[in-house]
Amino acid sequence: MNLLTGRKQLSLVKESDLQLMATTQYKTFLTENKILNSATSRDAATVDRVGARIANAITKYYDSQGKESMLEGYVWEFNTVDSKEINAWCLPGGKVVVYTGLLPVTQNEASLAIVLGHEIAHSVAKHGNERMSQAMVQQMGGMALEVALAQKPKETQDLFMMSYGIGSDLGAMLPWSRQQETEADQYGLIFSAMAGYDPREALPFWQRMSAAGGANPPEFLSTHPSDATRIRKLKQFMPEALKYYTPRN
Ligand SMILES: [Zn+2]
């Protein structure tokens, strides 16, 4: 059972193994892409600032619930990659990347906080673990992760990249399930609100994201479908999220 959501989830892969794998994949990603320095880039400085506030809020949230153990092994890192892609993701252990192409869609810090809260919620709610576990059963016959990594390193890495929405050589990305999306939205709103960002910004943000789709929808939109159901559920949950909100001054 998931400690955060109370939902039963397939979780065959040890979180500590996933965190280890995440650290390696994150390092590789950072060397292979153009990462902006927050000392010289305003965008990167913004991502760092909003990220730190969200990470703080999440730590506070877990402490208040007596569930500190869920963040075991988390060492937060926020990086900004110079790329037109509209995307952001969080790997197990709190390794986050924001693509500069996302920033014209978020437009303000509150919306950026909402995306970060959402992506981090996928990670702490162990949605990636759930997907990775399903993939290990379906495609690796339930092999243990360390065995799979030793015997089929490339395939295992591809499954990992797909499970966390990073994109992989396998091409097509899996969309998150409706339930995973709803959970990520709800916890994302709580985390943003606790960090002092107005959760109501989520509504115009997801509408802008939807409009950014056009003829060539970004990967992020194909894995996070934005539709009437999402907007309706966000509205339903808003009164609860607002209980956590104290504006920053
Ligand atoms: Zn999502």
Side-chain angles (χ1 to χ4, degrees):
M1 199 175 74
N2 189 290
L3 261 178
L4 176 67
T5 58
R7 180 163 66 82
K8 267 203 171 150
Q9 289 173 309
L10 188 65
S11 177
L12 304 174
V13 186
K14 264 194 292 183
E15 193 63 18
S16 54
D17 284 347
L18 284 176
Q19 287 183 5
L20 212 61
M21 192 165 178
T23 306
T24 311
Q25 297 299 323
Y26 194 64
K27 256 189 217 143
T28 306
F29 182 89
L30 296 184
T31 54
E32 288 175 351
N33 290 275
K34 190 181 170 201
I35 305 302
L36 298 175
N37 184 332
S38 48
T40 49
S41 154
R42 252 179 64 182
D43 286 346
T46 303
V47 168
D48 277 5
R49 182 172 59 249
V50 176
R53 286 172 182 168
I54 287 282
N56 249 332
I58 293 173
T59 307
K60 242 196 292 178
Y61 179 82
Y62 281 103
D63 284 351
S64 73
Q65 305 276 315
K67 292 175 181 168
E68 303 87 338
S69 66
M70 283 205 67
L71 291 180
E72 209 178 296
Y74 269 69
V75 181
W76 298 101
E77 266 189 75
F78 293 86
N79 275 290
T80 308
V81 55
D82 187 12
S83 161
K84 285 200 182 80
E85 213 180 301
I86 300 176
N87 204 2
W89 40 256
C90 173
L91 299 182
K95 309 297 185 211
V96 180
V97 163
V98 172
Y99 296 62
T100 48
L102 175 70
L103 302 176
V105 188
T106 52
Q107 290 180 9
N108 53 58
E109 290 194 15
S111 299
L112 177 60
I114 283 156
V115 178
L116 289 177
H118 179 104
E119 289 308 310
I120 294 170
H122 275 312
S123 176
V124 294
K126 304 206 176 6
H127 293 159
N129 191 331
E130 196 172 15
R131 283 223 285 221
M132 187 75 187
S133 298
Q134 285 160 351
M136 294 299 290
V137 170
Q138 287 160 5
Q139 303 189 32
M140 300 272 187
M143 200 183 273
L145 183 62
E146 56 224 348
V147 179
L149 265 173
Q151 294 182 1
K152 298 180 175 180
K154 180 78 177 86
E155 290 90 331
T156 313
Q157 277 166 20
D158 274 339
L159 287 183
F160 179 84
M161 305 300 255
M162 270 181 59
S163 296
Y164 286 92
I166 306 180
S168 73
D169 296 344
L170 296 183
M173 292 293 306
L174 305 165
W176 297 101
S177 76
R178 167 73 68 199
Q179 189 167 27
Q180 289 171 333
E181 277 303 274
T182 302
E183 287 173 4
D185 272 343
Q186 295 186 346
Y187 289 103
L189 289 189
I190 291 177
F191 300 153
S192 311
M194 284 182 76
Y197 296 107
D198 191 339
R200 286 167 292 201
E201 285 294 332
L203 299 166
F205 163 72
W206 281 109
Q207 275 151 359
R208 284 196 300 276
M209 181 57 90
S210 199
N216 250 330
E219 194 82 77
F220 188 81
L221 201 55
S222 67
T223 56
H224 298 76
S226 181
D227 51 22
T229 309
R230 178 193 293 276
I231 300 291
R232 181 170 51 78
K233 291 198 167 186
L234 281 169
K235 281 183 182 159
Q236 274 171 2
F237 189 71
M238 203 53 76
E240 177 66 21
L242 284 168
K243 290 183 194 163
Y244 294 85
Y245 176 50
T246 317
R248 310 188 72 87
N249 43 28

